[in-house]
């Protein structure tokens, strides 16, 4: 089956362990296998820049930030869900420009969700509620809007390709008398908003009817893996959430590479169930909330195995980051595995609780954080050198 094999031992990190990197070919599909101990890299103690305030001008306060982007000059574009919806900060944190109010007009947004660079000095913003792409200059000047037609009823932006086209994913809900997989579809749109192709259709979300207090609701099983995808440069990273594996597809949806790594035992035990139930109760603030959490938890069945991938982020030069699936009893906080453009596993980064990774750049990780008062911040942390792209800064 295998026609070519390459095994490379690469330096792991401060821990001195070796991460084996194995590449082989099977029927024209490259299979990359990462084995051995995974190097650990802590998040730097202080960010280079932190945006957000408890008090002061509202333009400097953050609220429900779904995305942020660092530009070539070090400026940061922040997408918010309070007006002004789009804000551009200078490298020193000074507000440089802002625009965007709620509405349906050409210069308005229904609900901006993602932002990407659309050239040296322009931006493209995915407006979820208005189902369109909005083009603005990096200085806050309006250019144009492009409606996306036709579009699925539950679209989620999956990233932007090198040629300016956009990946959108959508769960097509399937109702049945028992647990059934609803498909996740991937749609590719041109920069002008026209649908080009359906690039994949895979099992996405296992949903079934659950009786909770006499009311039937659709629920996923506890610990069930979910499918997800993101555009990476001129390819697609796709996970089905049921294996320690990411599929790399070309823009037309053809499988070109399988990237695999060694994960832990996925068997769901009674101890896991007890720990998860305890966590559900602990997260509730009142007695009524605790009782409701227990009703939901006890009525919903559990999967036999844990999921594997809880999220994907694109990285420069065709790389990607994988969020590991948390097991009950694990430390709080996201844990991310960094892969380069060849599928090599570079290491792991653990984030503190109340911190979410939204963007991987060449020099910085953009993290959305909340403090003990639930004040929101957009923070740029230096990317550990061992995890940075080898081709230079951005």
């Amino acid at each position: 089956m295998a026609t070519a094999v390459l095994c490379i031992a690469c330096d792991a990190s401060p821990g001195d362990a070796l991460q084996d990197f194995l590449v082989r070919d099977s029927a024209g599909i490259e299979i990359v296998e990462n084995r051995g101990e995974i190097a650990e890299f802590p998040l730097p103690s202080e960010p280079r820049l932190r945006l957000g305030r408890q008090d002061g001008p509202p333009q400097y306060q953050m609220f429900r930030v779904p995305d942020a982007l660092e530009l070539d000059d070090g400026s940061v574009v922040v997408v918010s869900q309070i007006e002004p919806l789009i804000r551009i900060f200078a490298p020193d944190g000074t507000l440089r420009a802002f625009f965007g109010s709620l509405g349906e007009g050409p210069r308005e947004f229904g609900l901006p969700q993602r932002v990407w660079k659309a050239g040296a000095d322009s931006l493209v913003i995915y407006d979820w509620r208005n189902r369109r792409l909005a083009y603005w200059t990096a200085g806050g000047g309006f250019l144009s809007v492009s409606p996306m037609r036709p579009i699925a009823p539950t679209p989620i932006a999956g990233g932007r390709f090198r040629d300016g086209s956009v990946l959108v994913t959508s769960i097509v809900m399937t109702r049945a008398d028992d647990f059934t997989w609803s498909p996740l579809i991937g749609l590719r749109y041109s920069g002008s908003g026209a649908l080009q192709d359906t690039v994949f259709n895979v099992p996405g979300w296992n949903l079934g009817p659950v009786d909770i207090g006499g009311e039937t609701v659709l629920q996923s099983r506890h610990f069930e893996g979910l499918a997800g995808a993101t555009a990476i440069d001129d390819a697609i990273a796709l996970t089905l959430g049921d294996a320690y594996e990411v599929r790399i597809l070309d823009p037309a949806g053809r499988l070109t590479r399988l990237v695999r790594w060694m994960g832990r035992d996925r068997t769901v035990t009674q101890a896991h169930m007890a720990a998860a139930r305890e966590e559900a109760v602990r997260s509730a603030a009142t007695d009524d909330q605790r009782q409701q959490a227990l009703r939901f938890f006890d009525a919903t069945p559990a999967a036999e195995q844990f999921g594997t991938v809880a999220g994907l982020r694109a990285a420069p030069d065709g790389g990607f980051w994988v969020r590991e699936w948390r097991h009950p009893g694990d430390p709080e906080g996201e844990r991310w595995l960094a892969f380069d453009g060849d599928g090599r596993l570079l290491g792991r980064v653990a984030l503190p609780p109340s911190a979410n990774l939204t963007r991987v750049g060449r020099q910085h990780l953009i993290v959305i954080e909340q403090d003990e008062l639930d004040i929101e911040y957009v923070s740029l942390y230096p990317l550990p050198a061992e995890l940075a792209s080898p081709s230079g800064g951005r």
Side-chain angles (χ1 to χ4, degrees):
M1 178 178 66
T3 59
V5 175
L6 173 65
C7 185
I8 303 173
C10 60
D11 290 337
S13 84
D16 296 326
L18 293 181
Q19 177 73 39
D20 291 332
F21 175 66
L22 179 73
V23 181
R24 56 191 173 91
D25 182 85
S26 176
I29 299 171
E30 186 178 76
I31 300 175
V32 179
E33 295 180 350
N34 293 277
R35 301 173 180 174
E37 295 295 324
I38 300 174
E40 303 280 348
F41 298 93
L43 195 69
S45 58
E46 292 294 332
R48 179 194 71 78
L49 177 67
R50 175 168 283 151
L51 303 171
R53 299 179 184 178
Q54 180 179 356
D55 302 307
Q59 294 91 337
Y60 284 88
Q61 297 177 13
M62 301 295 151
F63 181 71
R64 293 184 180 176
V65 175
D67 198 16
L69 170 69
E70 185 178 12
L71 302 179
D72 292 342
D73 65 356
S75 300
V76 181
V77 183
V78 175
V79 179
S80 179
Q81 293 185 3
I82 59 171
E83 297 179 351
L85 301 173
I86 311 298
R87 309 173 202 181
I88 303 172
F89 295 87
D92 64 356
T94 303
L95 184 63
R96 195 181 74 191
F98 58 88
F99 57 90
S101 56
L102 292 170
E104 299 179 358
R107 299 169 183 265
E108 297 175 322
F109 296 91
L111 190 66
Q113 187 185 73
R114 296 292 303 278
V115 59
W116 305 286
K117 291 196 299 183
D121 59 354
S122 58
L123 306 170
V124 57
I125 300 156
Y126 176 71
D127 185 348
W128 180 85
R129 185 162 290 157
N130 287 333
R131 306 296 201 257
R132 65 192 184 191
L133 301 173
Y135 292 86
W136 292 70
T137 70
F142 174 74
L143 296 173
S144 65
V145 292
S146 296
M148 304 174 74
R149 301 290 186 272
I151 197 163
T154 57
I156 300 295
R160 188 171 186 265
F161 295 102
R162 185 189 302 167
D163 67 356
S165 59
V166 173
L167 175 68
V168 171
T169 65
S170 178
I171 287 285
V172 181
M173 303 295 287
T174 302
R175 293 182 176 270
D177 294 333
D178 201 350
F179 279 83
T180 303
W181 283 96
S182 293
L184 177 76
I185 61 172
L187 306 171
R188 188 176 186 184
Y189 290 83
S190 69
S192 63
L195 177 62
Q196 293 180 312
D197 196 9
T198 300
V199 290
F200 61 79
N201 184 328
V202 298
W205 195 357
N206 194 15
L207 294 173
V210 175
D211 184 276
I212 300 176
E215 181 182 359
T216 300
V217 296
L218 281 178
Q219 289 277 102
S220 61
R221 298 191 297 180
H222 294 309
F223 321 125
E224 190 92 75
L226 308 174
T230 187
I232 51 171
D233 215 355
D234 59 351
I236 301 167
L238 170 68
T239 174
L240 301 187
D242 62 351
Y244 295 108
E245 172 183 282
V246 169
R247 304 179 180 193
I248 305 300
L249 315 179
D250 68 15
R254 292 182 290 266
L255 179 63
T256 61
R257 176 186 292 167
L258 293 172
V259 178
R260 296 169 175 163
W261 62 98
M262 302 295 292
R264 54 179 165 168
D265 184 8
R266 296 173 53 211
T267 304
V268 175
T269 67
Q270 288 301 316
H272 289 130
M273 289 292 294
R277 193 175 191 271
E278 182 179 339
E279 289 179 356
V281 173
R282 193 165 58 241
S283 64
T286 66
D287 288 340
D288 287 344
Q289 291 176 350
R290 281 188 281 273
Q291 292 302 317
Q292 184 179 22
L294 286 177
R295 283 195 296 270
F296 270 83
F297 186 89
D298 293 339
T300 305
E304 295 181 356
Q305 292 187 311
F306 286 101
T308 55
V309 176
L312 289 169
R313 295 287 184 271
D317 303 319
F320 59 91
W321 284 41
V322 168
R323 182 181 169 188
E324 295 182 295
W325 195 276
R326 183 182 178 274
H327 294 196
D330 287 353
E332 297 287 340
E334 299 178 354
R335 295 169 64 84
W336 289 86
L337 300 177
F339 294 82
D340 67 12
D342 295 322
R344 185 193 308 267
L345 177 52
L346 303 175
R348 176 188 287 116
V349 174
L351 270 61
S354 300
N356 304 104
L357 176 66
T358 189
R359 184 79 64 154
V360 179
R362 292 191 184 278
Q363 295 182 329
H364 297 101
L365 300 175
I366 302 184
V367 176
I368 311 301
E369 301 180 283
Q370 287 185 325
D371 64 15
E372 63 277 2
L373 299 177
D374 293 332
I375 306 301
E376 195 166 336
Y377 301 91
V378 176
S379 301
L380 273 69
Y381 286 92
L383 182 67
E386 295 87 346
L387 307 181
S389 167
S391 61
R394 171 168 123 180

